[in-house]
Amino acid sequence: MMIRMFVGWAGICVLLIASCNPCRVVAEELTTESWARETAFKTVFVNFYKSSCKHCKAIRSQWNKLMKAYATSDSVGIFEVDCSDSDSVELCQQARVEGVPDLRFGDPTDIRNLQSYSVFDTEYAQLEEFVNKTIVPQCSPRHLEICNEAEKSMINGFYAKGTVALNEHVALFERQLTEKWDKLDKKKLDRKKRENDFRARNTEFKKKTEFPESITPELDKEKEQLDREKESLMKELENFDIEAADISKDKKDQGLTLMKLVLLDLAEKSKKKARKTKKGEL
């Protein structure tokens, strides 16, 4: 039996392919419209692929086995996304997927910052070991037992705010964080251009200094300049890591992920209440 669920939230939704055995999920392939609900309250491990990619096909049997193994988990989500599917193109762009296969893991409410997993370690035993050690449940309204007291207090406070106020807070914080990430991306792009220029000039310099007798005082000065540039480029990378960590910390301190999960929980409870009311009327 195939079940399709399309539930919108913040411009994102989910496709759930399920098979009854009895009613056991066998595979879960997500689209742009089907991301939020099916990944909610879970830590995810996602295979971004294209149907035409040969290497993608080589690992899919192992990936399908992994999806089946965790199909009924309420805290770990193993998914795949076909980036050649028009229904998933926007999702792959949000995740900054540049090549496939691209295996990512982490917090699904922050898709642009999912962490990368090596596409060379895709034997089932390697995948399973990684999931068991790394894909740990996250604190959420559905998993309060793993939340600390500060997180529980934050969740209770978000419930008290209600849906309208909480949506406003989420929109504000997301806008602020998006601006910060976009600025960092621009810095990285600018650095990449300068790095490419540095590599080209460094390659030319190596050609000019291939033979020791060809080295002149001018070339010594050029080497010093290239060394300074290289050091500066490396320092920028370190600064980017620090800046990214600060943005992530700000997101956690503000409780943005928990806000989104509380909103999803409130929406589900509202729908359940509406169904009960409608059933009572009938």
Side-chain angles (χ1 to χ4, degrees):
M1 178 178 71
M2 181 175 285
I3 303 172
R4 293 177 183 270
M5 299 174 62
F6 296 92
V7 185
W9 175 71
I12 307 176
C13 310
V14 184
L15 170 66
L16 169 62
I17 303 176
S19 175
C20 288
N21 187 24
C23 284
R24 175 179 171 79
V25 178
V26 209
E28 299 187 51
E29 183 168 310
L30 308 184
T31 67
T32 305
E33 288 188 296
S34 64
W35 176 268
R37 169 129 352 224
E38 295 309 317
T39 62
F41 314 111
K42 297 181 178 182
T43 304
V44 301
F45 193 16
V46 187
N47 174 21
F48 292 93
Y49 75 100
K50 287 186 178 181
S51 53
S52 59
C53 165
K54 291 183 179 180
H55 187 48
C56 298
K57 292 176 182 177
I59 69 174
R60 283 197 72 198
S61 62
Q62 302 299 308
W63 196 264
N64 287 336
K65 184 178 178 182
L66 190 70
M67 286 197 295
K68 290 178 183 179
Y70 289 88
T72 58
S73 172
D74 65 350
S75 59
V76 174
I78 311 297
F79 304 104
E80 60 182 4
V81 176
D82 184 356
C83 293
S84 61
D85 187 335
S86 59
D87 291 333
S88 306
V89 171
E90 185 180 343
L91 184 62
C92 295
Q93 291 173 343
Q94 291 172 4
R96 305 298 200 268
V97 174
E98 297 181 353
V100 291
D102 192 348
L103 306 182
R104 306 278 193 86
F105 66 95
D107 175 6
T109 69
D110 191 12
I111 188 172
R112 74 184 285 171
N113 294 301
L114 291 174
Q115 299 179 68
S116 296
Y117 174 84
S118 172
V119 296
F120 300 106
D121 299 329
T122 53
E123 292 299 322
Y124 182 76
Q126 294 173 312
L127 293 170
E128 185 179 41
E129 180 181 13
F130 176 76
V131 171
N132 289 335
K133 290 184 177 180
T134 310
I135 311 300
V136 297
Q138 61 176 328
C139 168
S140 78
R142 301 288 177 83
H143 301 104
L144 290 173
E145 70 281 359
I146 62 174
C147 301
N148 58 41
E149 292 305 314
E151 290 168 329
K152 290 177 182 177
S153 177
M154 193 176 285
I155 289 172
N156 290 333
F158 293 153
Y159 276 118
K161 286 182 181 296
T163 302
V164 176
L166 209 51
N167 268 314
E168 291 176 353
H169 280 288
V170 167
L172 174 63
F173 291 145
E174 281 205 313
R175 187 163 58 249
Q176 293 173 344
L177 288 175
T178 297
E179 289 175 357
K180 291 179 180 179
W181 285 120
D182 286 346
K183 287 180 181 179
L184 181 56
D185 285 344
K186 288 180 181 178
K187 291 180 183 178
K188 289 181 177 180
L189 182 61
D190 176 66
R191 181 199 170 280
K192 187 64 177 177
K193 291 178 180 177
R194 286 184 284 109
E195 181 185 351
N196 289 339
D197 176 66
F198 167 80
R199 289 181 182 277
R201 287 185 290 110
N202 195 48
T203 298
E204 289 301 313
F205 175 79
K206 288 180 179 179
K207 290 180 181 178
K208 288 187 289 185
T209 57
E210 186 175 358
F211 302 103
E213 62 271 17
S214 64
I215 297 177
T216 64
E218 288 75 18
L219 288 176
D220 283 335
K221 290 182 180 180
E222 185 176 347
K223 183 180 186 305
E224 290 176 4
Q225 175 63 28
L226 288 171
D227 286 343
R228 285 194 295 270
E229 286 186 45
K230 182 179 180 180
E231 184 178 351
S232 176
L233 288 168
M234 296 302 295
K235 185 63 177 177
E236 281 185 83
L237 278 182
E238 294 177 11
N239 291 337
F240 290 160
D241 289 340
I242 294 172
E243 192 170 343
D246 287 342
I247 297 174
S248 296
K249 182 179 183 301
D250 187 32
K251 176 195 169 188
K252 184 175 182 179
D253 290 345
Q254 297 287 357
L256 183 57
T257 294
L258 293 177
M259 283 188 205
K260 291 181 178 181
L261 295 176
V262 167
L263 277 173
L264 284 169
D265 193 46
L266 287 172
E268 287 191 17
K269 288 177 178 177
S270 177
K271 287 180 181 180
K272 287 180 181 178
K273 184 177 180 180
R275 285 196 294 269
K276 288 182 179 179
T277 301
K278 187 175 181 180
K279 188 176 181 181
E281 292 175 352
L282 294 175

